[in-house]
Amino acid sequence: MAILSGLLVFTLALDYWIIQQFPVVYWNDAFIRLAMRDELLVGRWLPLLQLAILVTSIASRSLAIVRIALSLFAVMAVWAMQRFAGRLFDPVTGLVAASLLASQTMFIALSTVPYQEVLFIALILLAFSKPDDRQPQKPPWQAVIPIGLACVTRYEAWLFVPVFLMRFFPRHRRQQGSRVQAMDAGAAAIVLAIFPLLWIMIGPFDVGETELEVVARILDGDKGVFFREFLKLAEWQIRPEGWILAGLGLVSGLRLTRTRRATLQTLTLIALQLSFIALFNPFSRENLRVPFFTSVMLLPFAAKGYCLLAGAIASLLHRLRLAGPGKRTRLAVLFLLVLAAFVTGTLRGIRFVRGAALTADYQSPAAAGVQFGGTPHGGVLLLKDDPLAPFIFAAYADLSLDLLYSLEPAPLENRISGLSPGRVREAGITHIISWDALEGLGLLCEPGFENLPFCGIEVTVRTRTEEITIWEVDAPTRSDE
């Protein structure tokens, strides 16, 4: 228990350190969620994670507080991994698996940004943990709750429901009879069906249009290319030694009668999730999140592989008369092996986060948002040819997207067709913000305004840094004719 508590504290402390060291969020979808943190339904994303962001934002508008709240899901995932692997194999293997997860590169990177993956794996691990053999067997409604929540976190969970029902209710049937088992399974199926049905009814997208897009995505792309890219990304996340150790653990799990069923069901979950991604293409082929679920679900078997390797090394040391026999030697070897993996994995994760957080495309709009935050304003015109920039700026300025304007063509709903005093005045724009050089700005102006102080718009430079300029718009000197 002390080791597990230490891992949970370490996970939270590491995430807090990352948030303080790298205050700029990384990766594109994260900024859309944060810019729309006052909304529950955002695009096709299922709403549970956005609900957590919304509730946290009501308590505090600080992005750091939102990220700290998200890191609690990482703590829950580490605890769930120990529970899952510990009940699959044994408590020691559970602690090893939790250590491997806490130091996994993508897990560290995803723990402080608003992506569903960390919350999703926590819920799946809780839902599919074996019941405690020491407790009286009851209908597993405590497991129905996490799988139900997973159904409003990621779409793959909808495919996992049949596996979940087969996972638990046959055990219940042997003890209370097939009729009770069938009633419980039917009740659980009805409860779990509510989640996708509600989403289909209230989801903020057109179901018919989505079905056509799904067909197009299935027909689009070479699945062989997808799986080649998957293996390439998985090798980076799992590492060659991870594949070998996971293979040893899988063989052990399939050989033991007690663990064979759970092992096969875990492999089924991996196969279903990969099939879903391959068919529906929710990610680009190069997206680093593609193999994340697979890499996490293989960690219990990699942990078992570490235990088997430690046992083999301890036996060798005993035969060479370098150590005595017994459990203590095996645990000492296991501790050293896991410690080495834990330290190297953590350092690798920190390096990866540093590279992601310092991406130049995120820095400038975030800095502009921080500088503009709290400024009294009306409409704000952003001069930046980047579809993500408005969301980054809005997230850090805590600015409603309804007040942001951009020049056509642009991703925002609020667009003006050109820079002119009349259009700026009509839109109620009080500030114009740009980053990077404004070379060729005259091309954005209407004819006759190129030689005037900002396309004929009287402005006052409020803030200027090396890359960012914030203009405050004065009364227009000319209007559109």
Side-chain angles (χ1 to χ4, degrees), residues 126-165:
L126 288 175
F128 282 88
S129 294
K130 291 175 61 178
D132 193 336
D133 293 330
R134 296 171 295 180
Q135 299 296 327
Q137 292 305 308
K138 298 179 180 180
W141 295 106
Q142 71 276 12
V144 172
I145 294 174
I147 191 66
L149 293 175
C151 285
V152 287
T153 304
R154 287 191 63 85
Y155 291 100
E156 294 97 307
W158 300 4
L159 301 178
F160 295 170
V161 170
V163 183
F164 169 81
L165 295 176

Side-chain angles (χ1 to χ4, degrees), residues 198-221:
L198 280 176
W199 181 247
I200 290 173
M201 288 189 291
I202 69 172
F205 58 90
D206 184 87
V207 175
E209 180 183 351
T210 302
E211 290 174 349
L212 293 176
E213 290 184 2
V214 165
V215 173
R217 288 186 176 209
I218 292 176
L219 297 176
D220 179 43

Side-chain angles (χ1 to χ4, degrees), residues 81 84-85 88-89 101 104 120-122 124-126 128-129 160 238 246 250 262-263 265-271 273 291-302:
M81 175 60 78
F84 178 84
L88 176 62
F89 291 109
L101 178 62
Q104 207 255 15
F120 182 65
I121 63 166
I124 293 300
L125 290 172
L126 288 175
F128 282 88
S129 294
F160 295 170
I238 302 174
L250 282 169
T263 300
Q265 287 169 338
T266 303
L267 293 176
T268 301
L269 296 182
I270 293 174
Q273 201 259 355
F292 179 68
F293 181 82
T294 299
S295 66
V296 169
M297 297 306 289
L298 288 177
L299 287 181
F301 304 102

Side-chain angles (χ1 to χ4, degrees), residues 176-236:
Q176 298 190 22
S178 59
R179 182 178 178 183
V180 175
Q181 184 270 341
M183 292 176 62
D184 285 336
I190 291 171
V191 169
L192 293 175
I194 291 174
F195 295 101
L197 289 175
L198 280 176
W199 181 247
I200 290 173
M201 288 189 291
I202 69 172
F205 58 90
D206 184 87
V207 175
E209 180 183 351
T210 302
E211 290 174 349
L212 293 176
E213 290 184 2
V214 165
V215 173
R217 288 186 176 209
I218 292 176
L219 297 176
D220 179 43
D222 184 347
K223 305 312 173 194
V225 173
F226 166 81
F227 282 107
R228 284 196 296 272
E229 290 294 328
F230 166 81
L231 291 174
K232 188 185 304 182
L233 295 173
E235 180 184 3
W236 174 79

Side-chain angles (χ1 to χ4, degrees), residues 257-314:
T257 303
R258 183 179 66 86
T259 59
R260 184 178 301 134
R261 181 183 180 87
T263 300
L264 289 173
Q265 287 169 338
T266 303
L267 293 176
T268 301
L269 296 182
I270 293 174
L272 287 172
Q273 201 259 355
L274 281 180
S275 300
F276 175 86
I277 295 177
L279 286 174
F280 298 107
N281 297 323
F283 304 120
S284 64
R285 294 192 181 108
E286 299 79 18
N287 195 306
L288 295 172
R289 292 180 289 147
V290 169
F292 179 68
F293 181 82
T294 299
S295 66
V296 169
M297 297 306 289
L298 288 177
L299 287 181
F301 304 102
K304 184 62 177 178
Y306 269 105
C307 293
L308 295 173
L309 178 61
I313 294 175

